[in-house]
Amino acid sequence: MNQTTDEEQQGVRPVGEGVPAARDVQVERSTKETEIRLRLQLDTDQPLTIETGVPFFDHMLHAMAFHGGLGLEVQARGDIEVDPHHLVEDVGIVFGQALAKAVDQHGPVARYGHAVIPMDDALSEATIDAGNRPYLVYRAEYPQPYCGAFAVELLREFFHGLAMNAAINLHLDARYGANTHHMCEALMKALGRAIAQAYRRHDRVRSTKGSL
Ligand SMILES: [Mn+2]
């Protein structure tokens, strides 16, 4: 004879059955160079609070999260008076860790994601395999080296930290454009869309090998 708990008799489902828990993860990381708190919610696009102290980077993260429909809160402080390099890289690391944690805690995802996004003169593409094989291919030749005070070469550090720590294969291609701001922004929007697609819930591990 089956035994039922009080909770089941009251109609409360045990966690893990029926409606899955919203995927909501937090990661904190502090080093001598940076201090970062990040919360990622994959099943809601609210709230968005992004404060890194680097305005153009905030703008890029906001574009990524908004167009990916990701709930993202980032509070980051760091030695940006030296160079935003550490901070941009470490936000990539922590965001990657959050994506990995979401899969660890909440189960398998669709794996593949792809988006191509235009912005006026620019066209940028992002392709993801969230398949536990970390790799970054990043192709971009920007016509201007800076967006405001931000050296756009730093975006590579964000993408690398993200790819290695989420353990994803990430291909990014800022295909063409005349304006660096547009090329970067289109790329970040494409990244957000590709993440949203790759991290859709899936009921089992998507691999012919049975594991990733
Ligand atoms: Mn813009």
Side-chain angles (χ1 to χ4, degrees):
M1 183 182 144
N2 290 333
Q3 296 201 334
T4 55
T5 64
D6 288 348
E7 280 187 340
E8 279 167 341
Q9 285 169 349
Q10 290 160 15
V12 177
R13 280 184 166 142
V15 173
E17 288 184 20
V19 180
R23 294 175 297 172
D24 183 345
V25 293
Q26 298 191 39
V27 178
E28 293 188 21
R29 182 177 189 271
S30 58
T31 69
K32 285 178 184 161
E33 294 167 347
T34 63
E35 199 176 308
I36 296 165
R37 286 188 298 125
L38 183 147
R39 180 181 182 193
L40 173 65
Q41 296 183 79
L42 283 170
D43 305 303
T44 170
D45 60 0
Q46 295 292 329
L48 278 178
T49 315
I50 294 163
E51 292 168 1
T52 68
V54 182
F56 182 75
F57 190 44
D58 286 356
H59 179 42
M60 291 298 101
L61 293 172
H62 193 275
M64 176 191 76
F66 183 84
H67 291 281
L70 309 169
L72 185 65
E73 293 170 69
V74 183
Q75 301 286 336
R77 289 188 307 166
D79 55 353
I80 57 175
E81 68 286 354
V82 177
D83 182 335
H85 185 114
H86 298 140
L87 182 120
V88 170
E89 179 178 11
D90 291 359
V91 169
I93 289 170
V94 171
F95 182 49
Q97 289 173 340
L99 285 168
K101 194 171 176 180
V103 174
D104 280 352
Q105 293 190 344
H106 299 287
V109 295
R111 266 190 78 175
Y112 295 104
H114 175 72
V116 184
I117 298 283
M119 187 166 179
D120 298 347
D121 50 282
L123 190 76
S124 299
E125 173 183 328
T127 309
I128 289 174
D129 174 11
N132 207 24
R133 293 166 70 93
Y135 205 97
L136 173 67
V137 175
Y138 175 40
R139 304 203 306 183
E141 285 183 31
Y142 296 114
Q144 300 95 29
Y146 285 90
C147 286
F150 186 85
V152 286
E153 65 174 12
L154 291 181
L155 285 179
R156 174 184 291 279
E157 308 307 320
F158 171 76
F159 298 138
H160 187 263
L162 164 60
M164 296 305 120
N165 287 275
I168 59 178
N169 182 354
L170 177 60
H171 287 242
L172 296 169
D173 191 358
R175 288 190 193 170
Y176 55 79
N179 180 280
T180 299
H181 187 125
H182 292 162
M183 292 170 76
C184 294
E185 189 164 340
L187 189 61
M188 294 299 282
K189 289 176 179 175
L191 176 61
R193 296 278 293 230
I195 288 171
Q197 205 177 83
Y199 282 83
R200 281 172 302 160
R201 291 178 195 275
H202 200 267
D203 56 1
R204 60 191 179 280
V205 173
R206 274 182 92 101
S207 169
T208 52
K209 292 182 290 192
S211 68
L212 290 170

